[in-house]
Amino acid sequence: MKLLYFLIFLSLISVKSACAMQSSSPKGFIISREHYPEGYYYQDIELNFPFNSKEFHFKKRKDGRIVFYYSGNTKNAPLIISMGGIPPIFVRYGYVMASVRVYYQDRLTVQERIKLTLDSIRDFLEESKEYGFDTSRIVLMGFREHAMPAALLATDPSYLSNGPIDFKAIKAVVLLDPVCLDVAAQNNSSRAQRSDFIRKKCGGVEPAENLSPAKHAGAPNAGAFLMLPTTSTTGSERQVQLFDEALRSAGTTVRIENFELSSKPLFDALTKSTSAVTTSLVEFLAETVPSQATRPAE
């Protein structure tokens, strides 16, 4: 009997300790003290970015839709909202990152997908107020088909009329290997076997043509755009050209960096602080959304 009482006592202590640990964490976040590589994703494939746990920190929302990356002091740090998954290397340079999994169920329209994404961002911002980062200086990033929602949010203010961020707060946009920027042109330039890709990723040819970011690039737009096309067979270079022309016609600042890489090498380059791809993005961020952090030693 004494043994039974002792075991019950130990169980109560364990529950109390677990509750205490959870209460110190922001609502909705899963806090992990374990040291292991955190995943990021390229399309639908999970990859590993092995970072030093003493340098990078991450917190996952319980619904798995957002991973928050930060390093050191987050007070007044500019916020990078990444759609499609980007390695968190930029937190070394004084930024905080919210990596958002974009909704791409075939049954949803483009507008519904963006609404769900904005709902996740709204919850994230509410849950992470205590970190004190600067929501008046925001960078949007989008990779491949995830460039479409990022570009739409940066060219069509109506999406953000009810928050969760201010359209004027979007100071910079980075689009890597972008597709779905002009869906009609994408469809005309793609091979027959790419039609399923367009319908799935661009939200359906007919309804999405009018939602192509190139159709909404008249002023007002976000502060500045950086686009990195690839040599992949997705029509990335042509997409960048068409979107670039539309943005420049509206007087928007645009920079294009073509490293003549295919999608996977371009993405992998962002895991290396010394790569030309990372350097170009860091320089663009320093010009458009400067942080107060000192550039880390190589």
Side-chain angles (χ1 to χ4, degrees):
M1 183 62 72
K2 290 183 179 181
L3 178 60
L4 177 60
Y5 284 134
F6 180 70
L7 291 175
I8 292 174
F9 176 72
L10 288 180
S11 299
L12 291 173
I13 291 177
S14 299
V15 171
K16 184 176 181 181
S17 299
C19 291
M21 290 180 64
Q22 289 179 357
S23 63
S24 65
S25 304
K27 178 183 177 183
F29 279 114
I30 296 176
I31 310 298
S32 175
R33 298 183 183 277
E34 296 180 15
H35 295 176
Y36 62 90
E38 167 57 358
Y40 65 92
Y41 50 101
Y42 165 76
Q43 293 182 285
D44 297 323
I45 304 173
E46 288 285 344
L47 302 175
N48 285 325
F49 180 57
F51 59 83
N52 185 332
S53 61
K54 294 180 180 179
E55 181 181 10
F56 292 87
H57 307 278
F58 67 93
K59 304 181 187 298
K60 281 189 176 183
R61 272 187 54 84
K62 290 180 179 178
D63 61 10
R65 288 295 176 186
I66 290 184
V67 181
F68 174 45
Y69 298 101
Y70 63 98
S71 178
N73 186 12
T74 60
K75 193 71 174 177
N76 297 322
L79 171 64
I80 298 175
I81 299 177
S82 165
M83 300 181 186
I86 301 294
I89 196 168
F90 301 104
V91 304
R92 287 181 177 174
Y93 301 87
Y95 301 90
V96 296
M97 297 185 67
S99 184
V100 187
R101 286 186 180 275
V102 184
Y103 294 77
Y104 269 103
Q105 296 92 334
D106 293 340
R107 61 183 174 82
L108 298 178
T109 65
V110 174
Q111 295 98 323
E112 289 171 331
R113 294 169 182 174
I114 291 179
K115 181 183 182 302
L116 288 172
T117 298
L118 290 177
D119 287 344
S120 289
I121 294 172
R122 179 179 288 103
D123 291 342
F124 160 74
L125 293 177
E126 181 64 29
E127 294 161 1
S128 57
K129 284 181 178 179
E130 67 180 69
Y131 293 100
F133 50 79
D134 188 359
T135 56
S136 69
R137 294 186 300 146
I138 290 176
V139 181
L140 295 182
M141 284 188 176
F143 189 82
R144 276 178 67 83
E145 64 270 17
H146 305 291
M148 183 186 190
L152 278 173
L153 291 177
T155 55
D156 187 347
S158 66
Y159 286 106
L160 296 173
S161 59
N162 296 317
I165 58 177
D166 190 333
F167 181 79
K168 294 180 179 178
I170 305 175
K171 306 301 183 184
V173 183
V174 178
L175 306 178
L176 301 121
D177 185 18
V179 294
C180 305
L181 298 179
D182 190 319
V183 177
Q186 180 95 34
N187 190 42
N188 292 334
S189 64
S190 297
R191 298 177 182 176
Q193 60 265 35
R194 300 293 294 172
S195 60
D196 287 341
F197 170 90
I198 296 171
R199 281 192 292 272
K200 181 179 180 181
K201 302 300 183 182
C202 303
V205 175
E206 293 302 326
E209 284 185 1
N210 291 330
L211 293 173
S212 301
K215 306 293 184 183
H216 297 270
N221 293 317
F225 287 73
L226 171 64
M227 296 189 284
L228 281 70
T230 70
T231 57
S232 302
T233 57
T234 58
S236 176
E237 291 173 302
R238 178 60 176 161
Q239 294 287 297
V240 165
Q241 179 186 351
L242 293 170
F243 194 43
D244 173 54
E245 293 171 356
L247 290 170
R248 290 183 187 277
S249 295
T252 303
T253 300
V254 187
R255 181 185 302 179
I256 298 174
E257 297 276 2
N258 192 344
F259 293 96
E260 298 185 351
L261 297 171
S262 59
S263 299
K264 183 65 164 52
L266 177 73
F267 197 76
D268 285 344
L270 289 172
T271 67
K272 303 175 179 65
S273 61
T274 57
S275 74
V277 177
T278 298
T279 299
S280 69
L281 264 68
V282 169
E283 290 175 351
F284 174 75
L285 294 174
E287 292 174 9
T288 55
V289 191
S291 72
Q292 298 176 352
T294 302
R295 184 187 178 98
E298 299 294 350

